[in-house]
Amino acid sequence: MKPHLLLLSTAFLSLQSYAAGLKSESFDRDPGWEGHNNHIVPKQVLKVTQDFGFSPTSIAGKSAGEIGGRIQRSTTPASYAAEIPVKTLDDAFSASGSFAITKSEGGAGVFFGFFNSQQPGGSGRPIGSLGLDFDFEGKGGRLATRLITNTNKSCGTFVTPYLPGKYRTTPIKNDGTRYHWKLSYDPSGDGQFTFTLRSDNHPMPVIDPALPAASLAEERARFPTTSTFTVDLTPGFKKEGATFDRFGIQNMMKSGGSVTMYFDDVVFGNRDESFAQDPGWAAVGNRTTYEDREVVGAHDFGFSAATNHAGGKPGEVGGGLWRSGDYGYYADRVGPLNLEHRLESRGKVKLVTAGPDSDMHIGWFSSATKDKSPDEAGNFIGIHVGGPTRIGHYFIPQLATADGTKGKVDQGPIITPGKLYDWSLVYDPAANSGNGELRVTLGTESATLPLKPGQKKQGATLDRFGLFTSQAGGQMVKIFLDDLQYTAAP
């Protein structure tokens, strides 16, 4: 064969290999992927002190004896709760009682009500719960009542005035004021719960007529001008299910501040608790002090030699990715690739836990930008894990071209915490009349993102494959991947 024909033949074979090359990783040993801000050492370690349970005091009730104390927000679960016969969304049930707050810090949060005892931690609000959601600032607190299904989907209502990002009042006083509440769940139809809140010495607010119209309407629609709130479950939530085997106090599971508060005169099921004596409820981490390194923005993900969340044998990649702090990634060197190449990846995935307002990404991206995530900066094709609280977390296709043009579907497969899935991702540059198409499959569900005319020509430089964080501000996703195959240049 002539030399120039030999060179052309070799180049053709190389190009074929380049287009079809799938690399496999079982993570039986450290793959040596590149890490950037993926193990953040907190600048300041958070000291957590939990000190709550039975108390002989009488702050929330008129007679001695109640439950409560110092409750701190932390990714590590802490609870003091009664063991109850299992309740589901097919059962009717109710509860009532009183509470009072004597001290609060910014960033504190507490849940009180029905919940599931198996909490993975790091979810913010307890997964599988129905009850009172408190969050606090130094001058007082806010309150919502909310259902979260076993699949981490949420519905509810703010009880106190609240417009996210705009109007955040704290009308729940931290001066020992006693509040009285009742929560009732009716399983009829799609399901519905009703919440009532009152206080004998909480005056009606003086509404400032100069408030913006939306804030004024929000004030007039919420406590204390309104005392009863009814929430219809989102259709399908009852089928998704929620399983409650505890009733009581659970800390919010994101690092933060503390609150001192108490609960008394509690009635639930056929039980009437005045706490005249220690009820001996189930206690988990409620009397302890430790250093919490899982603080906001402290990413901790990469190769994990000892765990096997997503695979049969120890060894996988993943961990905790915050939607806050510095941009970080953990990825293999795979490039150069671009939007003219067919790209494929597949493997196993498990979402261990995820708080509201949390997300992350999987796929091919450029390592050139070190300070901004590729879903915003450009040069990304892959998967977005995230979504609104009513959904939990989608597992859907997303792209950002070299020019920063974004593409994303509105809905698709939903990844449920604690469940192991097979997944795949295929980018076909020849599909969609040659414009290109991205298809993601999770289990048996799929979503397809067709590229718009001209997007493929904008191109993308792709030299890494792996996981990276978002920076919008929010909570943590804890996710693991194993048994991967993905397109890589030879």
Side-chain angles (χ1 to χ4, degrees):
M1 184 178 290
K2 293 181 180 181
H4 68 279
L5 293 177
L6 180 61
L7 287 172
L8 285 173
S9 176
T10 302
F12 178 73
L13 290 172
S14 176
L15 204 61
Q16 281 187 314
S17 174
Y18 185 79
L22 280 178
K23 185 174 180 179
S24 297
E25 271 293 356
S26 61
F27 304 106
D28 294 333
R29 59 182 183 274
D30 190 335
W33 285 11
E34 179 183 38
H36 172 67
N37 289 333
N38 60 313
H39 293 296
I40 301 274
V41 177
K43 295 178 181 178
Q44 184 174 358
V45 175
L46 178 67
K47 183 179 180 181
V48 175
T49 298
Q50 308 287 13
D51 189 16
F52 63 95
F54 172 71
S55 174
T57 54
S58 57
I59 296 168
K62 295 180 180 179
S63 58
E66 56 195 352
I67 60 171
R70 187 185 195 274
I71 309 162
Q72 188 162 352
R73 207 172 72 175
S74 168
T75 55
T76 302
S79 62
Y80 185 73
E83 299 180 28
I84 62 172
V86 172
K87 298 290 184 184
T88 72
L89 296 180
D90 292 321
D91 301 315
F93 51 89
S94 64
S96 62
S98 61
F99 67 84
I101 300 113
T102 59
K103 183 180 179 181
S104 61
E105 297 176 347
V110 172
F111 171 84
F112 189 85
F114 299 91
F115 65 96
N116 190 285
S117 59
Q118 301 304 307
Q119 295 296 324
S123 62
R125 303 163 186 150
I127 297 173
S129 62
L130 174 60
L132 290 67
D133 281 5
F134 296 91
D135 69 285
F136 297 94
E137 296 179 12
K139 57 186 178 181
R142 290 179 284 271
L143 175 62
T145 182
R146 183 175 285 111
L147 164 76
I148 302 178
T149 69
N150 289 341
T151 56
N152 207 26
K153 297 180 181 179
S154 176
C155 67
T157 183
F158 293 108
V159 175
T160 55
Y162 186 89
L163 289 173
K166 297 180 181 180
Y167 189 57
R168 298 163 55 91
T169 62
T170 53
I172 301 297
K173 299 179 181 299
N174 60 5
D175 60 0
T177 295
R178 288 174 182 157
Y179 295 87
H180 310 277
W181 60 273
K182 183 175 181 179
L183 173 67
S184 301
Y185 173 73
D186 180 357
S188 302
D190 287 326
Q192 182 186 84
F193 59 92
T194 301
F195 182 77
T196 301
L197 184 68
R198 66 178 178 83
S199 176
D200 295 336
N201 60 339
H202 192 126
M204 299 294 282
V206 178
I207 297 179
D208 183 356
L211 284 172
S215 300
L216 190 62
E218 182 70 6
E219 277 278 13
R220 289 173 172 162
R222 306 292 169 184
F223 181 79
T225 53
T226 302
S227 60
T228 300
F229 302 83
T230 299
V231 177
D232 294 320
L233 269 62
T234 303
F237 274 24
K238 193 170 147 184
K239 186 177 180 180
E240 294 274 347
T243 306
F244 316 120
D245 60 3
R246 295 289 186 273
F247 176 85
I249 304 169
Q250 170 78 62
N251 70 328
M252 291 297 193
M253 288 163 284
K254 176 187 177 183
S255 60
S258 68
V259 61
T260 302
M261 66 184 304
Y262 298 88
F263 301 86
D264 203 356
D265 301 324
V266 173
V267 178
F268 58 101
N270 59 357
R271 299 172 65 167
D272 188 342
E273 291 280 8
S274 61
F275 303 110
Q277 58 186 8
D278 189 339
W281 284 6
V284 177
N286 62 316
R287 306 280 189 191
T288 187
T289 297
Y290 59 93
E291 291 185 343
D292 187 0
R293 297 178 181 275
E294 212 168 39
V295 299
V296 175
H299 311 307
D300 189 15
F301 65 100
F303 173 63
S304 179
T307 61
N308 60 340
H309 297 284
K313 296 180 180 180
E316 57 191 352
V317 292
L321 297 85
W322 286 90
R323 201 180 83 174
S324 299
D326 295 333
Y327 161 59
Y329 66 78
Y330 184 69
D332 194 10
R333 303 162 181 83
V334 298
L337 297 166
N338 57 54
L339 296 185
E340 298 297 332
H341 297 116
R342 180 182 174 88
L343 306 174
E344 299 181 50
S345 60
R346 62 184 61 90
K348 296 185 181 298
V349 62
K350 180 179 281 189
L351 179 65
V352 174
T353 189
D357 304 319
S358 64
D359 61 0
M360 55 81 65
H361 298 82
I362 304 165
W364 295 269
F365 60 95
S366 171
S367 62
T369 302
K370 300 293 187 182
D371 60 350
K372 193 173 183 181
S373 58
D375 60 307
E376 296 293 334
N379 296 302
F380 166 60
I381 189 160
I383 297 167
H384 175 230
V385 179
T389 56
R390 71 179 186 280
I391 292 297
H393 286 71
Y394 287 124
F395 194 88
I396 52 178
Q398 185 176 358
L399 69 88
T401 69
D403 292 349
T405 301
K406 301 173 185 177
K408 184 179 176 181
V409 298
D410 293 328
Q411 59 186 5
I414 297 169
I415 184 166
T416 300
K419 184 176 179 180
L420 179 64
Y421 295 88
D422 290 311
W423 65 274
S424 66
L425 165 64
V426 176
Y427 167 69
D428 184 352
N432 183 31
S433 301
N435 291 310
E437 182 179 272
L438 182 59
R439 184 175 180 84
V440 168
T441 300
L442 181 72
T444 60
E445 303 292 326
S446 297
T448 300
L449 173 64
L451 274 65
K452 295 179 180 179
Q455 285 184 333
K456 190 170 73 170
K457 290 184 178 180
Q458 293 178 14
T461 300
L462 309 168
D463 63 4
R464 297 290 185 273
F465 176 86
L467 306 80
F468 66 84
T469 67
S470 295
Q471 298 172 277
Q475 299 199 46
M476 179 182 67
V477 169
K478 190 171 285 188
I479 192 169
F480 291 87
L481 306 172
D482 203 354
D483 299 329
L484 296 182
Q485 289 185 310
Y486 49 92
T487 300

